[in-house]
Amino acid sequence: MRSQELEVALRPRLTLNAAVGSYLIPDLPTADEILPYLRRIDSARWYSNFGPLVSEFEGRLQALISARDDPNPQAGRVCLTALATGHQALEIGLRLLGIEGGKRVLLPAVTFSACPLAVLQTGAQPVLADVDPRSWTLTPRIAREAASRTEIDAIMPVAAYGVPLLTPEWDDFSRDTGIPVLIDAAAAIETQGLPRRGLVAHSLHATKPFGIGEGGILAGREAEMIAKGRQYANFGMIDRITRTMGTNAKMSEYHAATGLAQMDRWTDVKRRRRQLLALYIDHAKILFGSVTLQPSIEEAIPSSLMLRLHEPIADAVLAAGKRAGIGLHRTYLPPLYRHPCFANLVVVNSAGSVLLPGADIVQKELHMTNSETLFGHLLGVPFHPFMSEADVINVVEWLRTQVAA
Ligand SMILES: Cc1ncc(COP(=O)(O)O)c(C=O)c1O
C-alpha cells in the first residue's frame, strides 16, 4: 500500500462531497408520501394490534413475494406476518421450528449480532460456522459437515449483504438431514426465494433496501405456523387468553403506513439501487486485479456494497478513508467469535471440525480461516441512492490510490 504521506499528497486532487462521506443514507418515503396513510389512521383510530394498514401491507408484500415465487402449485402458498423488527422475526421463526433451551443452532460467523442474539433469546446455543470463501456465507456443504460431527437442531443461513441464497439447496439439505432451516434474508426482501420447507425472515430497518424505520417479516408456506408466529408476537394470546409463551413483536399502524408508502415507491427504490450498482460495476473495472466484487451481487437489490481487497489491508484503507472523508465500513466484521459477548460460543470450521468454548483467539484464528481471511480483506464502500456517477468515480479513483500495487 502507498504510504500515508503519499495518500495525503493525493487528497487535494479529489473533489469529495457529503455524498461519499456517508456510507449509507436511507431511502425512505417523505412525510408527504406517508400522509395519506396517516390520515387513514386518524379516521380509523386504530393504532396497533393487527389493524387495517398492517393487513393491507401484509397483503401487498404477499403479492410482491408471490409474483416471483415458484409457479409449481405443489410449492404451496406464500404466507407471512409483519412484525416489529427483523430480530424478532428471527427469534419467533426459531421458536416455530422448535428451538428452545438445550438446542443448538448453526449460523455463520460473518453476520450481524442479531443472529446469535435471537438464538440466545430462545434459550438455545448458537454454534458459529466458518463461511465459504467464494460466497462469503454458510453453505449447505458446510452445514452438512458440521451436522455430521456435532449436534445441530436448526440452521440459520444468512443471505450475506443481501445476496439471496439458493433455496433448492437448502430444501435438499433439510429433506436429507431432517434439520429445519430459517433463512435470515434481512436485506434480501423480494429477491430471496421462499424454500418449500422452512422459514424466511426479513428486516425492514431503515438501512435495508425496503426500509420503513423498524420492522420485520416472517414468511413460510404453512399458514398454521405463521398464525402461531402472529400469536407469539401478541403475548401468546388468542381471545385475550395467553396460551403459549409470547412477546410483544407486533407492527404498529404507523410503521405499516410507512410500509405502504414505501411500497408505492418500491419500483423506483429498486431502480435507483440497481443503477448505482451498475455504475460501480462499470467504474470499478479499473480496480480489477486488486479488488473483487461480491459474487452474485447483481442478484441483490443492494443496500450496501462490499469489496474484497486482494491484500489484507481493509482496516488500513478504512482508516485512510476516514482521514480522506470517505465513508467506508466493515459491516458484519469482525467475525462474531471476536465479539466479547460471543467469545465463548462453539465454533466449527468449514470441514466440520469443532472448537469447544475456552479456545483462545489464536486457536480460533487458525481454525476459522475463511472468516479470518474476510476479516482482513472485506471493505464496504459508500452506497446510497443520493450518490451521483461523479461520486462513484471519486470513490473508485481514491481506492485506486490505496490498493494499486
Ligand atoms: C443479517 C441481519 N440479520 C438480522 C438483522 C436484524 O434486523 P432488525 O434490525 O430489523 O432487527 C439485521 C439488521 O441489520 C441483519 O443485518
Side-chain angles (χ1 to χ4, degrees):
M1 194 179 69
R2 308 242 171 156
S3 70
Q4 191 176 325
E5 290 81 295
L6 187 50
E7 180 245 311
V8 170
L10 284 167
R11 210 187 300 167
R13 288 176 33 214
L14 299 167
T15 49
L16 298 176
N17 62 30
V20 300
S22 309
Y23 68 79
L24 190 153
I25 299 178
D27 187 0
L28 264 71
T30 62
D32 284 341
E33 287 167 326
I34 304 170
L35 193 60
Y37 295 104
L38 293 180
R39 293 215 190 290
R40 283 176 49 191
I41 300 178
D42 287 347
S43 308
R45 295 194 182 278
W46 192 337
Y47 303 97
S48 190
N49 291 52
F50 316 111
L53 269 65
V54 166
S55 296
E56 185 177 330
F57 182 48
E58 288 178 339
R60 287 180 69 180
L61 276 171
Q62 205 254 3
L64 185 78
I65 295 171
S66 300
R68 289 178 62 129
D69 194 31
D70 188 340
N72 186 336
Q74 281 187 334
R77 282 188 66 231
V78 175
C79 307
L80 57 82
T81 185
L83 297 165
T85 66
H87 177 245
Q88 282 164 316
L90 290 177
E91 185 198 328
I92 294 173
L94 288 169
R95 289 184 187 274
L96 294 174
L97 297 180
I99 296 305
E100 58 189 5
K103 306 265 169 142
R104 287 156 56 103
V105 179
L106 188 74
L107 58 99
V110 178
T111 181
F112 189 53
S113 302
C115 304
L117 288 173
V119 177
L120 290 167
Q121 232 106 44
T122 66
Q125 278 302 308
V127 175
L128 305 178
D130 201 3
V131 294
D132 170 62
R134 216 197 71 81
S135 63
W136 307 353
T137 195
L138 169 60
T139 58
R141 188 197 65 73
I142 296 174
R144 279 177 205 270
E145 296 289 353
S148 70
R149 306 258 201 120
T150 188
E151 183 71 34
I152 298 293
D153 300 292
I155 316 277
M156 187 193 284
V158 176
Y161 307 109
V163 171
L165 302 178
L166 294 172
T167 46
E169 286 187 359
W170 284 107
D171 272 333
D172 290 349
F173 171 88
S174 37
R175 189 198 53 229
D176 297 348
T177 62
I179 301 175
V181 172
L182 164 64
I183 297 180
D184 178 357
I189 201 161
E190 196 184 349
T191 51
Q192 177 59 62
L194 188 58
R196 289 197 180 192
R197 303 149 177 269
L199 298 167
V200 172
H202 299 293
S203 166
L204 307 179
H205 188 262
T207 52
K208 297 293 182 268
F210 196 116
I212 69 167
E214 293 279 8
I217 300 294
L218 183 64
R221 296 196 186 271
E222 286 181 43
E224 211 174 299
M225 197 184 245
I226 297 300
K228 277 195 183 138
R230 196 170 279 145
Q231 178 187 334
Y232 190 94
N234 187 29
F235 305 101
M237 290 200 295
I238 301 177
D239 297 334
R240 303 196 59 79
I241 302 296
T242 295
R243 298 168 198 257
T244 62
M245 263 299 287
T247 186
N248 183 2
K250 299 186 297 291
M251 177 178 280
S252 79
E253 287 289 277
Y254 288 106
H255 282 91
T258 311
L260 287 164
Q262 186 68 315
M263 190 66 83
D264 295 340
R265 60 204 289 285
W266 181 228
T267 303
D268 285 338
V269 170
K270 284 190 284 190
R271 183 181 41 76
R272 284 193 283 273
R273 292 188 179 280
R274 286 190 160 138
Q275 271 175 357
L276 182 62
L277 177 64
L279 286 175
Y280 261 112
I281 290 175
D282 193 24
H283 290 291
K285 281 186 189 126
I286 59 163
L287 300 174
F288 291 173
S290 346
V291 155
T292 316
L293 293 172
Q294 183 178 6
S296 305
I297 184 67
E298 59 291 342
E299 286 171 32
I301 301 163
S303 53
S304 62
L305 182 63
M306 300 300 285
L307 307 179
R308 188 188 188 290
L309 311 183
H310 290 189
E311 300 295 325
I313 54 172
D315 263 341
V317 179
L318 181 83
K322 208 168 189 177
R323 293 192 292 274
I326 301 197
L328 304 172
H329 65 102
R330 308 213 58 214
T331 296
Y332 305 153
L333 295 162
L336 293 170
Y337 50 81
R338 286 178 171 274
H339 296 215
C341 181
F342 308 127
N344 280 325
L345 298 180
V346 173
V347 298
V348 182
N349 74 8
S350 58
S353 165
V354 175
L355 208 55
L356 293 174
D360 63 26
I361 194 63
V362 178
Q363 291 170 296
K364 286 178 193 165
E365 273 170 16
L366 296 171
H367 201 72
M368 304 292 274
T369 48
N370 300 331
S371 301
E372 285 298 303
T373 302
L374 295 184
F375 183 33
H377 293 252
L378 286 197
L379 185 68
V381 288
F383 192 95
H384 55 78
F386 307 99
M387 289 177 73
S388 65
E389 182 162 12
D391 294 326
V392 172
I393 293 170
N394 273 335
V395 172
V396 170
E397 285 290 343
W398 178 83
L399 263 180
R400 183 148 72 152
T401 67
Q402 302 297 306
V403 299

